[in-house]
Amino acid sequence: MMKKLLPFALIWAFLCSIAVVGHASANTVSTAAIQLVTKDATVYVEASTESKVSGHVTKGNFVLATPLNEEWVHIQMSQLEGYVEVTTLAEVTPEKAVVAKKGGTNLFTYPSPNAQKAGQLYENSMLVVYGTAPGGWSFVQYGHGFGYVATNALKKPTGTKKQVNAPHGAVIHLTASPSGEVLGTLANKTIVQQYTIVAGWAYVEAGEQKGYIKASELTDLTIVDNKVYNKGVPVAKGAKKRVALTFDDGPDAKVTPQILAILKKYNVKATFFMVGKNAASNGKIVEQVYKEGHEIGNHTWNHPKLTSLAKASVKQEVDRTSNAIYEAIGQYPTVFRPPYGATNDEVRSVIAMPSILWSIDTLDWKHRNANKILTYVKASVNDGSIILMHDIHQTTANGLENVILYLQKQGYECVTVSDILH
């Protein structure tokens, strides 16, 4: 929550607003980014050492840089813009920090307490830190404003899992204010990482979406339990019967997209229990599964028999997979399936998710026969069935359409595992 910025920060806000297209004379669409000046250098009006000199930059400064070609970069900073050689700059890795100083801290145009103030940052405000400058200063961004703050006024934030509790979604703002620029909306029930709360606004991240939402629109993440389920809850009398289609061991680069296409064709939702190493190497498919409205479950990293492992190894298998899924979609899985169905009290003591088994094993992994999948479903399906398949076999993709057509003809609705547990 920053007070009205002085000219320096306003210049930066303008520069950021044109960063998408870059510098007009550069005729480039390269993305502008903050970079560090690594050595004193001359700034030229044009991309040539024969050009007029625009000014000079000194080592340790931060600039908004837009690449022109392999040799030259266009830079912008307060009171100065022009071209420098590529070797003058270095990329920086932004980090998060919050204002820890009681009562907040000042934002300065230069790394000095005697510099012009660019604004006031309130305690607990979330900042992007691009790097440090001599004398104990950090170059930071808040909203569209840039400047220097005392490094000792900052601390690294700690994330806490929360869930959006807003029926119509939570509007994300760039800054902690109802008048802050609107960046988008987080859907109800989205799981987020909350890092700080300032004046009733929570800074959250969910995948690529990040910003401030009303703290009142968040609730503690509710974990169903860590019990074992092999079927869903039957529906009330007169309601439509439900089954859960589940797919293990993927994602697979070839088969999973085919299965997704069939599910989409028939407007069916399913649950994919992913092996962590496959999720890590097929992040785009994980993202597609999530964006198309399916549920993603954890199926361990290497698919071991968990009852033969030490508790620490079980936890590592599960946590590593959850982190890989979070990396792809910004959400942690909320259901778990133990490989081979092997589970016990000791295994579940380190898993904070319900363990989902099945009531129908199609044995698609064994017979590799598309028609036999439907045979097994017909023999055992009833309201609340959880059907086990695998999205790593071509024969499963080949047989799925007939399974869905049969279920729909029999009056079943295909839903996710979490839906069928309630």
Side-chain angles (χ1 to χ4, degrees):
M1 193 174 291
M2 183 182 292
K3 293 182 177 178
K4 188 175 180 181
L5 301 176
L6 293 175
F8 171 83
L10 292 175
I11 290 171
W12 275 110
F14 168 73
L15 296 179
C16 285
S17 71
I18 63 173
V20 175
V21 295
H23 188 247
S25 64
N27 191 29
T28 178
V29 292
S30 297
T31 302
I34 297 296
Q35 293 197 9
L36 174 68
V37 179
T38 57
K39 60 183 178 181
D40 296 351
T42 301
V43 182
Y44 297 94
V45 174
E46 297 178 4
S48 169
T49 54
E50 304 299 321
S51 167
K52 290 183 179 179
V53 173
S54 176
H56 295 84
V57 289
T58 56
K59 179 180 178 180
N61 277 320
F62 293 87
V63 298
L64 188 67
T66 306
L68 174 66
N69 53 39
E70 293 181 355
E71 298 179 357
W72 292 92
V73 178
H74 181 267
I75 66 166
Q76 297 166 299
M77 58 187 301
S78 179
Q79 310 297 326
L80 178 64
E81 71 171 294
Y83 293 88
V84 297
E85 294 177 277
V86 168
T87 55
T88 301
L89 306 178
E91 295 182 357
V92 294
T93 302
E95 296 182 350
K96 291 186 285 285
V98 294
V99 177
K101 186 177 179 182
K102 189 173 180 62
T105 190
N106 290 316
L107 185 74
F108 294 96
T109 55
Y110 297 100
S112 168
N114 300 318
Q116 185 180 31
K117 292 180 182 178
Q120 173 73 25
L121 297 170
Y122 287 105
E123 184 179 355
N124 292 328
S125 295
M126 176 66 77
L127 310 178
V128 178
V129 179
Y130 290 97
T132 58
W137 295 89
S138 292
F139 186 73
V140 305
Q141 176 184 2
Y142 177 87
H144 287 307
F146 293 79
Y148 292 89
V149 299
T151 302
N152 61 11
L154 308 177
K155 70 176 181 180
K156 287 188 176 182
T158 301
T160 304
K161 283 190 211 176
K162 295 281 186 175
Q163 192 167 30
V164 174
N165 183 28
H168 301 293
V171 177
I172 312 169
H173 294 263
L174 178 65
T175 53
S177 166
S179 59
E181 179 184 334
V182 174
L183 302 178
T185 303
L186 286 171
N188 192 33
K189 304 300 182 184
T190 298
I191 299 172
V192 302
Q193 287 281 92
Q194 174 191 297
Y195 287 98
T196 185
I197 295 179
V198 52
W201 292 86
Y203 179 87
V204 300
E205 294 187 355
E208 294 182 359
Q209 292 183 287
K210 58 187 70 176
Y212 289 88
I213 65 173
K214 293 178 181 177
S216 59
E217 294 177 324
L218 288 174
T219 186
D220 290 336
L221 183 61
T222 54
I223 297 169
V224 178
D225 51 45
N226 63 351
K227 295 178 182 177
V228 179
Y229 295 86
N230 60 10
K231 61 183 179 179
V233 177
V235 296
K237 188 175 181 180
K240 195 168 187 178
K241 299 178 294 183
R242 304 176 302 175
V243 296
L245 301 179
T246 67
F247 299 91
D248 286 11
D249 296 356
D252 179 84
K254 180 184 176 184
V255 179
T256 305
Q258 295 178 49
I259 287 175
L260 288 173
I262 296 168
L263 297 175
K264 189 173 186 179
K265 179 179 179 180
Y266 293 99
N267 192 29
V268 164
K269 301 306 177 190
T271 301
F272 291 78
F273 288 98
M274 297 184 176
V275 170
K277 61 183 181 182
N278 293 338
S281 59
N282 292 284
K284 291 296 182 184
I285 298 177
V286 180
E287 186 178 15
Q288 183 184 355
V289 171
Y290 175 69
K291 286 185 175 179
E292 293 186 6
H294 304 293
E295 183 172 29
I296 295 178
N298 185 315
H299 197 43
T300 72
W301 184 264
N302 281 309
H303 204 272
K305 186 176 182 180
L306 296 180
T307 50
S308 65
L309 299 183
K311 287 172 67 172
S313 297
V314 172
K315 182 171 175 55
Q316 185 179 33
E317 281 279 338
V318 176
D319 289 350
R320 191 177 179 190
T321 302
S322 290
N323 289 336
I325 291 169
Y326 182 86
E327 185 70 24
I329 64 171
Q331 297 284 291
Y332 290 100
T334 52
V335 287
F336 174 76
R337 174 167 282 165
Y340 315 106
T343 185
N344 56 30
D345 289 342
E346 186 172 275
V347 167
R348 291 191 300 279
S349 70
V350 296
I351 300 174
M353 293 175 277
S355 292
I356 311 299
L357 301 184
W358 51 86
S359 51
I360 299 176
D361 186 350
T362 64
L363 297 177
D364 60 337
W365 57 272
K366 186 176 182 180
H367 56 65
R368 308 289 180 91
N369 183 313
N371 295 325
K372 282 189 177 181
I373 297 172
L374 180 57
T375 301
Y376 282 95
V377 170
K378 282 183 175 180
S380 305
V381 68
N382 53 44
D383 185 24
S385 288
I386 298 176
I387 302 171
L388 170 62
M389 292 177 282
H390 298 77
D391 57 322
I392 58 172
H393 303 307
Q394 184 61 51
T395 46
T396 301
N398 296 345
L400 179 60
E401 193 160 6
N402 284 338
V403 170
I404 293 173
L405 286 170
Y406 171 78
L407 291 170
Q408 291 183 338
K409 187 175 180 180
Q410 297 301 312
Y412 289 99
E413 180 185 8
C414 297
V415 299
T416 66
V417 160
S418 286
D419 286 334
I420 212 169
L421 295 184
H422 304 284

